[in-house]
Amino acid sequence: MHRLRTTVARLRPLTAAQTAQGLPQPRPLEIKGGLRMFRPVRCLNSSAAAEPFLNGTSSNYVEEMYHAWLENPRNVHKSWDIFFRNANAGAPPGAAYQSPPPLNGTSQGLAGVQALVGAQPNVEKLVADHLAVQSLIRAYQVRGHHIAKLDPLGISCVDFDDAPCTVGFQNVGHHVAQLDPLGIMAFDLKTTPPSRIIASHNKLGLYGLSESDLDKVFRLPTTTFIGGNESALPLREIIAASRCVDTADHLSLFQAAYCQHIGVEFMFINDVEQCQWIRQKFETPGIMQFSLEEKRTLLARMIRSTRFEEFLQRKWSSEKRFGLEGCESLIPALKTIIDMSSLSGVESVIMGMPHRGRLNVLANVIRKELEQIFCQFDSKLEAADEGSGDVKYHLGMYHKRINRVSDRYITMSLMANPSHLEAVDPVVQGKTKAEQFYCGDTEGKRVMSILLHGDAAFAGQGVVYETFHLSDLPSYTTHGTIHMVVNNQVPGVRVQSYPRMARSSPYPTDVARVVNAPIFHVNSDDPEAVMYVCKVAAEWRNTFHKDVVIDLVCYRRNGHNEMDEPMFTQPLMYKQIKKQKGVLKKFAEKVIAEGVITAQEYEEEITTYDKICEEAYNRSKDEKILHIKHWLDSPWPDFFTLEGQPKTMSCPPTGISEEELGHIGKIAASVPVENFTIHGGLSRILKGRANMVSQRVCDWALGEYMAFGSLLKDGIHVRLSGQDVERGTFSHRHHVLHDQNVDKRICIPMNHVSPDQAPYTVCNSSLSEYGVLGFELGFAMASPNALVLWEAQFGDFHNTAQCIIDQFISSGQAKWVRQNGIVLLLPHGMEGMGPEHSSARPERFLQMCNDDPDVCPKPSEDFAVRQLYDCNWIVVNCSTPANYFHVLRRQILQPFRKPLIVFTPKSLLRHPEAKSSFDDMLPATHFKRLIPDDGPAAARPEEVKRVVFCTGKIYYELTRERKNRGMDGTVAVVRIEQLSPFPFDLVKAETDRYVNADLVWCQEEHKNQGYYDYVKPRIRSAIKRTRPVW
Ligand SMILES: Cc1ncc(C[n+]2csc(CCOP(=O)(O)OP(=O)(O)O)c2C)c(N)n1
């Protein structure tokens, strides 16, 4: 009760008139920025109802009353006056108090009580008014963006529900609900103060306010910066008055902050500090100011952006170029982000973007030589290397240059991307993470990413969501990405007409809300607003290292491409677009009127840039050959020769010394940290490993340990990522040990192999295949000196990442001359899990191999390596731990990088026969592409009636059956361990040995699945079709 009354005293509103008339000790009226500002005034001689006598603990309050009374007894209420007089006269504690005198005369008692009761509704109104104003303020913060003028065409079709919506407890109450049955929920949601808010524009009545309240002065809550230095304002200035006001001069402060060309969506963020930060950036009066220099730079950038597209249009009017017309502000937007980031210490920016505006970004942001861009429009240009066609809008780029604003070097790379929209998002994240990792940038202060999106793709593609969900995971975070949505309000190529048909969310950006990324919607026809928003976004990223989204609301002046007729499907929109004055023109007129630049200077600037383009165009005619390798987003300069070739065409043996095997084996069987208690079951597993080491054998997990450990020892970073990879889905790996007594205490023995080893990263991923595989692919792009592996929990799950496999992994080199050594581990085997959950679908991977089934490559000394160099990827199914060990090491020791697909076993992980001796892993040993039969059949090959070729685990079933049937001497079982590139030479050698045998392929998969369709024609080619293959 005491608190409420104290608050009531503070909240009492004064009308502006009262304030100006000078009620007790009025403070001066100030004029600021054309707005009247009122200082708050404390009224201490308020009514008995407003200030009933307080007992108890309000010492501050009493003290204030006392000081006010000392100044002038009339400043305070009669009851306080009597109290202080009595107290000063020496009345004992408790005796100084007298009941308040009645307001209407001298009689006390009932009349006094009635007076209090009668005044109560005023108190309630007082409280209600202030709460209403707070609600209104919050409503602007929450929903101001709904009425912001974001659409440059003024025809926005996004229909926001104007019905009252309550937030507050309803919105954030779930943050404090006790949801975790264990009561140990680690997730710490900071709550915004719960309150009930009705957001609706110009509906004072809904808040219990009326026009007569507009001149009352209200104290501002601490959750707004709208008052600048003032802590109270008249309602009229806080919010929009009931009648619509058009000119900026007459806008209310909240309208100016939230309802103009910038719409800020942030109130869903559950961090008070972050919300306050954003409020300060957008509410502080006069905060959006630019220097003359900034305005000039902005104009120059707008000129480049606009004139570049116009130049292309003039020169190649009948070519597709996916131009930026209608969103020319994108270029200054990106450049502002890069300037700000460079100023704050960022040295490398990695970007991913779709086709629209890509050439402009290459020319004016990355600063690729213009002639290199123009020459690509020449149809006679020949490719010098293996890269393939239609790459103009897909090529990547890497460029280091001085940033003029910060005067510091900055490297910019634009990742090559496929047509599949948004597929590049996680790849950019992975590459960014890798660059951060390799330069020790643990907080993302030196390397950052920017992702550009189309509005339809951002809303529609699930990988956007998957990528957002990586953004705050320790092993996947890139410490904040700036997302820029080129929202031209045309959701699709040409078939769909309205956003209403393309998504179910009001904005295309709503997906970002799941990670609490603030969303800044901005009208792209206001370049200054765009620049401001970009500055804030860069500062946000630099301050909080979290994702942020800029929704650049624009339009598409042409169709999907320049050849398209948009009027077919969007007649009204395009009528409006035809009338729309270009943004450059509008902005130039504005800054010329402001005196920032003269009309003549403007024309000169245009002429200068046009001349630059013209000269580059002339030079471009000299380019006869297109070198796609000049368009690499991640060059590996020391890995190749200057000509971009492998330094050798041989691969050293992949075995390691006995001593090294023993040492790594010991680490794999130990807990290399003191006082660390592991689970009893795990102790048994480690003991089993120790036994194997003493017997000089490896099972699958130990073979993998040997490969990883030895590479780490040689300074090769190893990163293994995927769902449950730390333990291994089949509980065989256990690379991360957990202390059973200390929560979250872990130990990774692999990081204890050697003092100067490379770090080992093993990380359980989120439950995503598309996003995580894309991420790891990007990680593997950053450096050739890392073994990056992604393991599917079960092999069939790779199909949700099919886009990354099809678009990047299988075809990346052919399209972009881009090598990548990513390893896919795909548990495979028909082991009782049903038809859709057993197979990693080897047939699909084999179908995408580029080796010709009908052509046996010529035998040569470096046959095996050359075959690897020529293939698009390597597909293996190893039957022994030793071969798995070798193939992993070969990935790094071979002089180039190729993706490696490994079908890994399930039951073989614990199969007693699926073990390898150390002898098979010693120096001079290597990966066996084919393992011949080494039993009685091989000893007397002429007696063999049948050679059974197979791959993987079925070998063990075949040999058991052969033994059971007493056929060891008549049936040879040959394992093809490397399916692609196909070991034509070794298969031929085997068939030559068994001259009297028929040739059979055996697999556990159905005949139209598995390997049969791939191997059969190749075996036949290997033997020149001299014998049938069954
Ligand atoms: C995954 C995928 N599906 C479909 C397409 C075909 N496509 C190319 S551009 C485009 C429209 C994309 O719209 P939006 O994201 O709004 O970008 P805009 O073209 O309008 O800039 C579509 C559907 C594609 N490239 N990728």
Side-chain angles (χ1 to χ4, degrees), residues 229-303:
N229 294 327
E230 308 305 326
S231 51
L233 288 176
L235 179 58
R236 186 185 296 285
E237 292 177 15
I238 296 173
I239 61 154
S242 55
R243 268 169 297 283
C244 210
V245 271
D246 288 320
T247 59
D249 293 347
H250 294 104
L251 288 175
S252 81
L253 293 168
F254 270 102
Q255 265 193 319
Y258 288 113
C259 310
Q260 290 304 294
H261 290 157
I262 298 172
V264 191
E265 227 190 319
F266 70 106
M267 289 292 279
F268 51 84
I269 295 176
N270 48 40
D271 182 301
V272 176
E273 187 201 347
Q274 291 170 10
C275 284
Q276 283 295 80
W277 189 92
I278 293 173
R279 290 184 186 116
Q280 192 265 330
K281 293 290 172 199
F282 290 97
E283 293 182 1
T284 307
I287 196 162
M288 206 172 101
Q289 299 286 348
F290 306 102
S291 67
L292 270 186
E293 197 48 42
E294 282 176 316
K295 287 192 182 199
R296 279 169 174 273
T297 306
L298 179 55
L299 181 70
R301 289 172 173 177
M302 287 299 299
I303 289 174

Side-chain angles (χ1 to χ4, degrees), residues 26 52 70 83 111 157 243 270 493 584 691 799 839 860 869 931 985:
L70 283 180
F83 175 78
C157 21
R243 268 169 297 283
N270 48 40
V493 176
L584 172 62
N691 278 339
N799 57 9
S839 172
S860 67
Y869 180 68
I931 304 182
D985 53 339

Side-chain angles (χ1 to χ4, degrees), residues 355-356 419-421 454-457 461 488 490 492-493 556 560:
H355 46 277
R356 188 160 316 286
S419 291
H420 285 53
L421 296 167
D455 52 322
Q461 293 293 306
N488 51 30
V490 192
V493 176
R556 200 162 78 183
H560 171 57

